Amino acid sequence: MNENKLPNATAVLILGIVSILGCCCYGLPGLVAGIIALVLAKKDGELYKKNPTMYSNYGQLNAGKIMAIIGIALSVLYAVYVIVMISTIGWDAMKDPQLMQEKIRELMGQ
């Protein structure tokens, strides 16, 4: 039987990788890439479930989906961390390392 490739499996894999790498940019790029990867993975997953013998790269799709989930989780955690840091020490301290050290000393009671 002639096996085809799922149309978005490579895109899902690349977006999954980008979502893990993008979590370090305040979480937003990783979150966006991860959500797009999951939407594409759902569409291809439905295609695969209709006729599993017709497609050959389901493993690639599954790996991308797993990476997208990990990327979304890391992005959310990092975004929460940034929000907490901004609310406790302020945006100005986030930009200035010396001011950040002073604010952290104040919070530690030193």
Side-chain angles (χ1 to χ4, degrees):
M1 183 169 274
N2 188 12
E3 290 186 351
N4 297 324
K5 296 202 179 280
L6 290 165
N8 296 321
T10 304
V12 170
L13 186 61
I14 291 170
L15 286 168
I17 293 168
V18 168
S19 73
I20 291 175
L21 296 175
C23 73
C24 298
C25 301
Y26 298 108
L28 188 61
L31 191 62
V32 170
I35 290 171
I36 292 171
L38 286 181
V39 169
L40 292 175
K42 184 179 183 216
K43 289 179 183 177
D44 275 7
E46 291 171 358
L47 276 175
Y48 181 79
K49 286 178 184 175
K50 287 180 184 174
N51 195 355
T53 58
M54 190 172 169
Y55 300 105
S56 63
N57 60 342
Y58 183 72
Q60 185 179 8
L61 178 72
N62 204 24
K65 183 177 175 182
I66 291 169
M67 285 191 280
I69 292 169
I70 292 169
I72 288 172
L74 290 174
S75 295
V76 167
L77 287 174
Y78 192 74
V80 168
Y81 168 75
V82 168
I83 290 169
V84 168
M85 289 298 289
I86 290 172
S87 66
T88 56
I89 65 171
W91 182 250
D92 293 332
M94 292 287 287
K95 293 179 186 177
D96 184 11
Q98 201 169 30
L99 183 59
M100 181 183 279
Q101 288 178 355
E102 291 174 18
K103 293 280 191 174
I104 290 174
R105 283 190 196 116
E106 288 175 14
L107 287 173
M108 301 298 267
Q110 295 179 352

